[in-house]
C-alpha cells in the first residue's frame, strides 16, 4: 500500500485564521460594533470592508454544511418552501439550516448565521445567489442590492467593464447609508491592496502544484482557500498564504509529495463534492493520482485588481471571471492550465444542482479531448446534495479512468521501446 | 495447459468464467449475488471450475471485476467492468468499436480504438432509466415475467412512443395506455424502444458496435432495435452476460496493470507504472 498522505502543518494556522474570522463576525454581531453585510463569494468584498462592514459569505457557510454532511438534513426543509430540488443545493441547504435554527457557526459563538444589515450579490456566477439573498432580505426586511453581471462573456469588452463599473459605483450611496459612514478612498485602496497581495500569494501556492511530484492537491486547495474567500480585502489572508506558501515551497525543495508515489496528474473542473472530499481524495491517492489543479481553486485569483484603479479593476476582475465566460475563453483557459500543470486528463464534475459551474453539458469535454489529445472523465454528483452522488459509481468511473490512463502510458512505453 | 479465470461481481448476479490461454471458454456460471458478495463469488467460481473440469489449483491467475470486485478475496488482481467489457468485446470484434453494456442496474458505453485501447467511457446517471430494471418494471406492470417480454414484443404491429423515460413515470403511463386499449405487445415494444433511445443517447456510435450484458443476452428485440437505430449490425458476442467475467479472465491472462487498491502487492496501486517507467 502507498504511504500515508503527509498533512500540511499550515492547517493549524488555517484553523486559527478561520476561527478568528468567525469569532470576529460573532463579536461584531453580538456587541454591534460593526454593520454586517452578506456578500457572494466573488462579490465586491473589498468595497464592503472599506466601508467598515464585517462580511459574511453564505457560500462558505453552505460549504461547511456540505463538508459536515449535514446539508441533506436541511435540503428538504427548503424544498418544502417551494425551493426546487433542481436549484442550487448551497441555497437550499443554507435556507433549510436557517429555518431549522442550526448552524456550524455556533461552534464559534454565533447564534446561527449573522443577521445582515444589507445583502450584496453579484450575479457573475449565477442567478441563484440573488434569489438566495432575496429570501433573507424578505425575512429580515433589509436591502438586497448588487451587480447584475453580464454572463457568457466572450472577449471582455469596454462596454461590459463600463457597465459593471457604473453598477459598483451606484452601490456606494446605499452602502454608505447602511454603514452610517462615507467611503474613504484610502481605506478602499488598503482593502484592494490586501486583496491583491493575498490573491498573488494564493496563486503562488496553487502553482507550486506545477512541480512534479506535486506538494498540493485540489482537495487540499478546497480547504486552504477559505481565507481567500472570507478574508478577501483583509490583511489576514495574505499573512496566512505567506505561511502556506513557505511550507509548500519547502515541500517542493525536500520532495514531500501530496500523493505518495504520484504517477498520474489530473485537472478538476467544476464544484467540489463537499460531503465526499476526503473519500474522493483517498480514492485518487490510492490510484497514485494527484488532482493537481482546478478551475474552482483558481477562481479566487484576481490578478487584475489594481489599487490605483479600484473601480474599473474590480469591474474587470468580476467580468473576466471564468464562470462568467462563454465556452471559447473557458476552453482556452483550461487548455493553458492543462499545459501549465502538465496533466494526463481532465475530470469534469457534472454538478446536478449547479449548471453554472458545470462545463460538461455543452460538449466541452469532447472538444477539449480532441484538441488537447487527452482523455476526459465526467463524474456525476453535486456540490451539497449527496443524493445525487453514488460512491460506487464514482469509484468505478475514477478507477476505470485511471486504468485507461495507465494502459495508455504502458502502450506508449511499449511503442517507445 | 494454462488456464485463467474471471469473476464479475455484479449488484444483481455474479458471473464466473474459466478460459484457456487462447481465450477459449472452458466453463461459465451465473449465480445471484445476494447480500454476501464474497460468498456469491466463491459459489460462482466453484461452479465455473466444475464446468471447466478443473480445480482452483489449475488456474494460473484469477481476476475480479464488477461492482463487488474488491470483495472477491481470492482474486489476484482486479479491473473495472469498464475495462473488462471492453477487453472481452475486443477479443471477439476488432476495433475501432463501441461497446454497449446494459446490465440490470446500470448501462455503459465504452469506446475502443483500433488496438482495443479504451478511448472513453460513459455510465448512466444514478437512475434506473436506461438499465435492465426498466424492463423489469414494465414487465411487472404488464403482469408477465421479464423473460416473456421479448416474445410479446415480437407480436407488435403498431409503433408508438412512451413519452416518459423515468421508470416510475413510464410505469404509470403504461397503465393509462392499457386502459386506453393499447395492445400489450405494442406496449412491450414501446418499452424496448424507450430503453434503446436512452442508450444510444449516451455517446456517439461511429465504429463497429458490440452489445454485452444480461439484457441483450435475453432480449434479441433490444439488439434488433439498436441495429436499426444505429444503422449497423450490432454484434452480440458469445456469452454476452458473462462478458465482464470473460474480460477479467483475459486481464488475468494478459497480466494487465492492476490499479485496484487491494492489500497485497499484486493488487496494490504500486503496480501502476510511474511517470517514464515502462511496466
Ligand atoms: S455558482 Fe452554483 S453552487 Fe454557487 S451559488 Fe451559484 S448555483 Fe450555487
Amino acid at each position: 500500500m502507498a504511504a500515508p498522505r503527509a498533512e500540511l502543518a499550515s492547517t493549524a494556522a488555517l484553523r486559527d485564521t478561520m476561527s478568528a474570522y468567525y469569532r470576529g463576525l460573532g463579536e461584531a454581531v453580538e456587541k454591534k460594533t460593526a454593520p454586517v453585510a452578506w456578500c457572494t463569494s466573488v462579490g465586491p468584498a473589498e468595497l464592503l470592508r472599506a466601508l467598515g462592514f464585517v462580511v459574511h459569505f453564505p457560500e462558505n457557510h453552505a460549504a461547511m454544511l456540505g463538508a459536515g454532511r449535514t446539508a441533506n438534513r436541511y435540503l428538504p426543509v427548503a424544498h418544502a418552501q417551494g425551493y426546487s430540488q433542481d436549484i442550487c443545493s448551497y441555497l437550499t441547504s443554507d435556507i433549510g439550516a436557517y429555518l431549522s435554527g442550526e448552524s456550524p457557526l455556533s461552534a464559534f459563538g454565533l447564534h446561527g448565521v449573522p443577521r445582515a444589515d444589507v445583502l450584496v450579490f453579484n450575479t457573475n456566477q449565477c442567478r441563484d445567489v440573488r434569489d438566495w439573498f432575496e429570501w433573507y432580505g424578505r425575512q429580515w426586511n433589509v436591502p438586497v442590492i448588487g451587480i447584475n453581471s453580464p454572463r457568457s462573456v466572450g472577449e471582455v469588452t469596454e462596454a461590459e467593464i463600463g457597465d459593471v463599473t457604473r453598477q459598483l459605483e451606484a452601490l456606494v450611496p446605499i452602502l454608505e447609508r447602511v454603514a452610517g459612514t462615507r467611503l474613504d478612498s484610502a481605506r478602499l485602496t488598503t482593502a484592494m491592496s490586501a486583496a491583491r497581495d493575498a490573491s498573488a500569494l494564493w496563486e503562488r501556492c496553487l502553482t507550486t502544484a506545477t512541480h512534479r511530484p506535486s506538494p498540493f492537491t485540489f482537495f487540499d486547495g478546497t480547504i486552504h482557500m477559505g481565507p481567500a474567500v472570507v478574508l478577501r480585502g483583509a490583511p489576514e489572508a495574505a499573512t496566512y498564504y505567506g505561511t502556506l506558501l513557505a511550507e509548500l515551497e519547502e515541500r517542493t525543495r525536500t520532495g514531500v509529495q501530496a500523493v505518495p508515489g504520484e504517477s498520474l496528474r489530473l485537472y478538476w473542473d467544476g464544484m467540489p463534492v463537499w460531503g465526499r472530499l476526503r473519500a474522493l481524495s483517498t480514492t485518487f491517492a490510492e490510484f497514485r493520482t494527484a488532482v493537481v489543479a482546478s478551475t474552482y481553486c483558481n477562481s479566487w485569483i484576481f490578478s487584475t485588481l489594481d489599487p490605483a484603479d479600484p473601480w474599473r479593476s474590480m469591474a474587470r476582475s468580476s467580468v473576466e471571471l471564468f464562470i462568467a465566460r462563454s465556452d471559447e475563453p473557458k476552453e482556452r483557459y483550461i487548455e493553458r492550465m492543462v499545459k501549465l500543470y502538465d496533466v494526463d486528463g481532465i475530470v469534469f464534475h457534472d454538478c446536478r444542482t449547479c449548471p453554472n459551474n458545470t462545463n460538461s453539458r455543452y460538449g466541452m469535454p469532447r472538444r477539449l479531448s480532441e484538441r488537447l489529445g487527452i482523455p476526459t472523465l465526467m463524474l456525476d454528483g453535486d456540490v451539497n446534495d449527496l443524493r445525487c452522488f453514488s460512491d460506487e459509481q464514482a469509484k468505478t468511473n475514477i478507477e476505470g479512468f485511471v486504468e485507461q490512463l495507465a494502459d495508455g502510458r504502458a502502450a506508449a512505453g511499449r511503442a517507445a521501446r | 495447459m494454462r488456464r485463467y479465470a474471471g469473476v464479475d461481481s455484479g449488484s444483481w448476479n455474479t458471473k464466473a468464467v474459466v478460459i484457456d490461454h487462447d481465450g477459449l471458454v472452458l466453463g461459465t456460471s451465473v449465480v445471484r449475488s445476494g447480500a454476501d458478495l464474497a460468498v456469491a463469488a466463491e459459489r460462482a467460481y466453484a461452479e465455473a471450475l466444475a464446468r471447466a473440469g478443473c480445480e482452483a489449483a489449475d488456474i494460473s491467475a484469477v481476476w475480479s471485476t464488477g461492482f463487488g470486485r474488491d470483495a472477491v478475496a481470492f482474486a489476484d488482481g482486479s479491473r473495472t467492468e469498464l475495462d473488462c467489457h471492453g477487453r472481452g468485446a475486443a477479443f471477439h470484434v476488432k476495433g475501432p468499436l463501441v461497446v454497449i453494456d446494459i446490465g440490470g442496474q446500470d448501462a455503459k458505453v465504452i469506446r475502443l480504438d483500433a488496438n482495443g485501447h479504451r478511448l472513453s467511457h460513459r455510465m448512466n446517471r444514478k437512475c434506473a432509466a436506461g438499465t435492465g430494471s426498466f424492463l423489469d418494471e414494465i414487465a411487472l406492470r404488464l403482469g408477465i415475467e421479464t423473460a416473456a417480454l421479448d416474445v410479446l414484443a415480437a407480436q407488435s404491429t403498431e409503433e408508438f412512443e412512451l413519452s416518459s423515460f423515468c421508470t416510475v413515470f413510464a410505469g404509470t403511463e403504461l397503465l393509462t395506455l392499457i386502459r386506453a386499449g393499447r395492445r400489450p405487445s405494442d406496449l412491450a415494444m414501446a418499452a424496448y424502444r424507450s430503453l434503446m433511445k436512452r442508450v444510444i443517447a449516451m455517446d456517439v456510435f461511429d465504429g463497429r458496435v458490440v452489445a454485452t450484458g444480461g439484457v441483450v443476452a435475453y432480449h434479441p428485440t433490444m439488439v434488433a432495435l439498436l441495429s436499426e437505430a444505429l444503422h449497423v449490425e450490432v454484434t452480440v458476442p458469445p456469452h454476452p452476460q458473462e462478458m465482464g467475467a470473460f474480460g477479467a479472465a483475459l486481464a488475468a491472462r494478459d497480466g494487465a496493470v492492476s490499479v485496484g487498491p487491494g492489500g497485497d502487492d499484486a493488487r496494490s496501486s504500486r503496480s501502476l507504472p510511474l511517470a517514464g517507467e515502462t511496466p
Side-chain angles (χ1 to χ4, degrees):
Chain A
M1 291 292 279
R5 260 173 52 90
E7 289 304 329
L8 283 157
S10 304
T11 307
L14 172 73
R15 273 202 204 102
D16 292 347
T17 306
M18 294 300 281
S19 309
Y21 158 73
Y22 294 129
R23 287 189 196 287
L25 201 56
E27 235 174 77
V29 174
E30 189 81 6
K31 300 187 183 145
K32 300 206 180 341
T33 49
V36 179
W38 282 32
C39 186
T40 50
S41 63
V42 278
E46 301 86 355
L47 176 58
L48 297 171
R49 287 233 154 75
L51 278 157
F53 284 98
V54 290
V55 191
H56 170 70
F57 294 85
E59 286 150 85
N60 170 252
H61 184 251
M64 288 167 97
L65 300 174
R69 286 194 286 277
T70 53
N72 276 85
R73 205 190 303 160
Y74 305 129
L75 290 168
V77 183
H79 297 157
Q81 296 289 322
Y83 281 74
S84 161
Q85 312 200 23
D86 296 328
I87 65 165
C88 173
S89 61
Y90 264 2
L91 178 165
T92 42
S93 54
D94 181 73
I95 290 177
Y98 177 82
L99 290 171
S100 308
E102 290 171 9
S103 164
L105 293 179
S106 57
F108 303 96
L110 282 97
H111 308 289
V113 290
R115 191 183 188 285
D117 296 304
V118 63
L119 299 112
V120 187
F121 62 80
N122 188 337
T123 60
N124 50 4
Q125 55 186 102
C126 62
R127 66 160 276 179
D128 298 62
V129 285
R130 181 175 186 160
D131 296 276
W132 188 353
F133 281 21
E134 283 176 347
W135 187 89
Y136 281 101
R138 284 191 293 273
Q139 196 72 15
W140 294 325
N141 197 24
V142 293
V144 181
I145 58 174
I147 316 288
N148 289 295
S149 281
R151 299 261 309 143
S152 214
V153 176
E155 293 304 326
V156 174
T157 65
E158 182 50 43
E160 285 144 345
I161 294 179
D163 169 24
V164 173
T165 303
R166 281 186 293 278
Q167 291 196 54
L168 277 165
E169 286 168 340
L171 297 177
V172 176
I174 309 169
L175 291 173
E176 286 182 336
R177 211 164 42 241
V178 178
T181 180
R182 298 298 300 270
L183 177 65
D184 171 353
S185 61
R187 284 186 77 182
L188 182 59
T189 308
T190 308
M192 296 283 290
S193 303
R196 189 202 47 196
D197 294 349
S199 159
L201 285 163
W202 174 233
E203 181 173 15
R204 285 177 63 193
C205 289
L206 292 171
T207 45
T208 59
T210 55
H211 193 269
R212 252 180 205 278
S214 174
F216 196 60
T217 69
F218 157 64
F219 300 104
D220 298 324
T222 58
I223 305 299
H224 288 268
M225 67 189 260
V229 178
V230 301
L231 287 164
R232 182 152 49 86
E236 295 89 333
T239 308
Y240 175 66
Y241 290 119
T243 307
L244 179 63
L245 181 63
E247 184 178 6
L248 293 173
E249 286 180 338
E250 175 65 15
R251 277 186 161 200
T252 59
R253 268 193 302 277
T254 53
V256 175
Q257 318 186 359
V259 170
E262 173 190 304
S263 177
L264 296 167
R265 296 161 66 85
L266 300 177
Y267 183 83
W268 180 285
D269 183 78
M271 297 297 292
V273 184
W274 287 110
R276 286 292 182 273
L277 274 189
R278 182 168 287 274
L280 283 168
S281 154
T282 306
T283 300
F284 281 107
E286 278 177 343
F287 298 134
R288 301 198 333 188
T289 299
V291 183
V292 289
S294 66
T295 313
Y296 188 69
C297 291
N298 285 1
S299 293
W300 279 267
I301 299 171
F302 301 99
S303 33
T304 45
L305 282 184
D306 178 4
D309 185 12
W311 301 100
R312 283 178 51 85
S313 75
M314 270 194 285
R316 176 176 278 282
S317 66
S318 167
V319 174
E320 70 183 14
L321 198 69
F322 179 94
I323 194 170
R325 308 299 292 278
S326 66
D327 273 10
E328 217 269 320
K330 280 182 175 174
E331 284 170 32
R332 270 187 281 138
Y333 180 85
I334 294 178
E335 180 171 355
R336 276 207 309 282
M337 293 304 119
V338 162
K339 291 187 176 142
L340 177 64
Y341 287 89
D342 194 15
V343 297
D344 301 288
I346 309 172
V347 179
F348 283 91
H349 172 203
D350 191 317
C351 178
R352 187 80 180 87
T353 69
C354 177
N356 313 290
N357 213 349
T358 293
N359 291 304
S360 54
R361 297 186 187 173
Y362 296 83
M364 189 189 293
R366 181 177 291 271
R367 286 195 297 276
L368 276 178
S369 188
E370 276 165 11
R371 200 162 78 228
L372 305 179
I374 60 170
T376 55
L377 173 72
M378 265 186 274
L379 214 53
D380 290 324
D382 192 59
V383 60
N384 263 15
D385 189 346
L386 289 178
R387 293 172 302 184
C388 305
F389 183 79
S390 155
D391 289 306
E392 275 314 317
Q393 199 178 77
K395 182 171 175 292
T396 298
N397 243 328
I398 292 166
E399 191 171 337
F401 193 54
V402 170
E403 286 171 345
Q404 179 187 342
L405 294 168
D407 285 350
R409 186 175 286 174
R414 278 194 298 275
R417 260 183 279 169
Chain B
M1 181 174 66
R2 293 177 80 83
R3 300 185 190 91
Y4 304 88
V7 178
D8 178 359
S9 172
S11 53
W12 194 243
N13 287 320
T14 300
K15 288 80 65 176
V17 168
V18 176
I19 60 168
D20 71 8
H21 200 271
D22 296 326
L24 186 74
V25 174
L26 305 174
T28 69
S29 151
V30 180
V31 306
R32 275 286 146 90
S33 297
D36 193 335
L37 297 176
V39 169
E42 274 166 22
R43 267 188 48 220
Y45 187 38
E47 269 184 37
L49 285 171
R51 289 192 188 135
C54 58
E55 294 174 3
D58 303 324
I59 303 295
S60 302
V62 51
W63 278 42
S64 63
T65 187
F67 151 81
R69 61 192 173 279
D70 293 335
V72 185
F74 55 84
D76 301 307
S78 73
R79 278 257 154 173
T80 62
E81 49 273 42
L82 299 159
D83 178 83
C84 291
H85 281 271
R87 202 175 279 269
F91 178 86
H92 293 288
V93 179
K94 201 181 146 26
L97 64 98
V98 189
V99 184
I100 300 173
D101 175 68
I102 314 171
Q105 310 283 319
D106 72 351
K108 318 179 247 305
V109 174
I110 304 153
R111 301 163 62 78
L112 304 172
D113 69 11
N115 299 314
H117 293 142
R118 185 140 43 96
L119 293 171
S120 67
H121 70 257
R122 289 291 295 142
M123 294 172 82
N124 66 320
R125 257 192 182 275
K126 193 183 168 189
C127 164
T131 76
S133 312
F134 180 76
L135 296 179
D136 293 334
E137 173 71 19
I138 299 296
L140 189 75
R141 300 283 179 172
L142 293 175
I144 59 170
E145 292 288 321
T146 310
L149 209 57
D150 196 76
V151 180
L152 186 62
Q155 296 154 24
S156 166
T157 52
E158 209 182 326
E159 182 176 327
F160 69 95
E161 307 273 325
L162 283 182
S163 54
S164 344
F165 61 72
C166 161
T167 305
V168 175
F169 282 6
T172 48
E173 187 185 350
L174 213 66
L175 294 180
T176 313
L177 291 166
I178 293 169
R179 274 203 302 277
R182 288 286 184 184
R183 296 170 58 225
S185 57
D186 294 335
L187 293 171
M189 194 56 147
Y192 282 115
R193 206 170 287 116
S194 168
L195 178 54
M196 175 272 288
K197 285 195 175 156
R198 281 291 279 181
V199 172
I200 65 167
M202 286 173 72
D203 210 332
V204 173
F205 293 82
D206 49 4
R208 298 188 180 91
V209 180
V210 175
T212 67
V215 168
V216 297
Y218 297 106
H219 304 268
T221 300
M222 189 66 204
V223 183
L225 285 177
L226 284 169
S227 297
E228 191 185 304
L230 297 173
H231 307 292
V232 296
E233 195 58 49
V234 172
T235 308
V236 179
H239 310 290
Q241 193 180 11
E242 297 92 331
M243 194 49 56
F246 176 66
L250 290 175
R253 181 195 68 173
D254 300 342
V257 180
S258 178
V259 299
D264 57 67
D265 271 0
R267 302 188 64 185
S268 122
S269 46
R270 242 184 274 168
S271 48
L272 183 62
L274 274 169
E277 274 177 18
T278 48

